[in-house]
Amino acid sequence: MSNIDAIPFVDLKAQYASLKDEMDREIATVITNTDFIKGPTLAAFEAAFAERLGVAAGAVIGCANGTASVTLALRGAGVKPGDEVILPSHTFFATVESVVNVGAVPVFVDIRASDYTLDPEAVEAALTEKTSAILPVHIYGTPCDMGKLQAICASHDLALIEDCAQAHLAQWDGQTVSTIGDAAGFSFYPGKNLGAYGDAGATIVRDKNAAENIRRYVDHGRTGKYESAMIGDNLRMDTLQAKVLSVKLPHLPNWTQARRDIAARYDTRLQAAGFKVITPDAKAKAVYHLYIVEVANRDEVQAALKAQGIATGVHYPIPCHQQPAMKTAEHRVSGSLAVTEQIVENILSLPVFPELTEAQQDRVISCFLEVAKPTA
Ligand SMILES: *Cc1c(COP(=O)(O)O)cnc(C)c1O
């Protein structure tokens, strides 16, 4: 199989090639200035990201990675040890770790079959006196039903925390996700829609005092160079990563549009052939971090595409409540997780990244349609 024909799952090299001159120059500036920790470069990224999202400048706090960002969002929203936090089992395991790492108890509920996002009815059924927060995950870049979740939080006085690790610039009802709940977390893992050159993340905390508290927490609770007002941690974002992200951020809207165009093309062809694809809510504007289709014969399809040089993935093969780690970690499963447990057998992720050409998209579709069998 020749390299020219191979279609990777993501192509970070193509993106770097498109930015190389500016990126190399900007990274060199950070190194020349030995501007490695905090400083104006980090503040500039936080301000630029805040402006893109539409939140106050002080609401964005750069941090070490996406997992920390969600943990910090829970902390910023006041989630305490022993509280129950309701979340989907169908997510990357980091979402669960963030709950456990603040000492709270994860309560797993099911997702909707139409868009694989947190089911508001299942959330309502899972509420107890101990519930303090709801943690929706905009999985694959598909916004959850924030209208219904906001209503539940308002009537039960709960915090709403958004896991936006896969959903940069996604919108619900005209509002950018991460600006709807009380707090949110973003990952800038290299393969995410906005990716650093290593680990990085950002926490969004909308309450001004809580945001200042979290900004202090990620930097040893510091109030002075050698004065700490509380026990914090070192969870800062590297300044080099802030520079990388600042170079990339202006391109994010175009990259997002490219992902939407690819997804629209896949949707049309695959739905016409009878395959089940994600149907986002009418109020949701998705950003397609991943493109998911259900197939009856997944192993066969993956092997056939691999033989053609086309990479695919499964996100994710084990529901969180069934992870070996949960055998010893305190948690609760509320109601039936039938949708969660059923889709893991059939979900397949096809390549979707901004640089994927139309010819490559067509080849993915035609190779897929040659072997794949619909679930319905
Ligand atoms: C990637 C991801 C995270 C964690 O981000 P890291 O930067 O890898 O720590 C959390 N939640 C979801 C849904 C993710 O996809």
Side-chain angles (χ1 to χ4, degrees), residues 221-299:
R222 268 199 260 221
T223 40
K225 188 162 167 116
Y226 297 115
E227 183 189 86
S228 289
M230 62 163 150
I231 302 297
D233 205 334
N234 177 358
L235 294 169
R236 297 177 302 239
M237 179 194 285
D238 278 358
T239 302
L240 260 172
Q241 301 304 345
K243 180 59 91 179
V244 169
L245 293 167
S246 291
V247 172
K248 288 189 175 193
L249 184 60
H251 301 277
L252 186 57
N254 283 341
W255 290 338
T256 303
Q257 190 53 49
R259 287 176 182 275
R260 286 183 176 136
D261 292 345
I262 295 164
R265 204 179 168 91
Y266 282 167
D267 275 350
T268 305
R269 300 274 302 273
L270 299 179
Q271 276 179 310
F275 287 91
K276 182 179 177 241
V277 299
I278 293 176
T279 309
D281 190 281
K283 288 184 177 160
K285 211 154 182 252
V287 294
Y288 301 94
H289 171 58
L290 294 167
Y291 185 89
I292 313 299
V293 56
E294 283 194 22
V295 284
N297 55 335
R298 184 170 64 199
D299 291 351

Side-chain angles (χ1 to χ4, degrees), residues 64-70 91-95 137-140 163-166 186-189 192 199-201 289 316:
N65 55 65
T67 310
S69 79
V70 183
T91 181
F92 179 55
F93 197 58
T95 315
V137 180
H138 306 301
I139 188 93
Y140 311 136
D163 183 336
C164 300
Q166 304 189 359
F186 281 96
S187 169
F188 303 121
Y189 179 84
K192 296 287 162 79
D199 279 312
H289 171 58
Y316 297 90

Side-chain angles (χ1 to χ4, degrees), residues 173-198:
D173 207 10
Q175 211 178 337
T176 305
V177 300
S178 78
T179 71
I180 302 167
D182 300 284
F186 281 96
S187 169
F188 303 121
Y189 179 84
K192 296 287 162 79
N193 289 21
L194 179 61
Y197 288 171

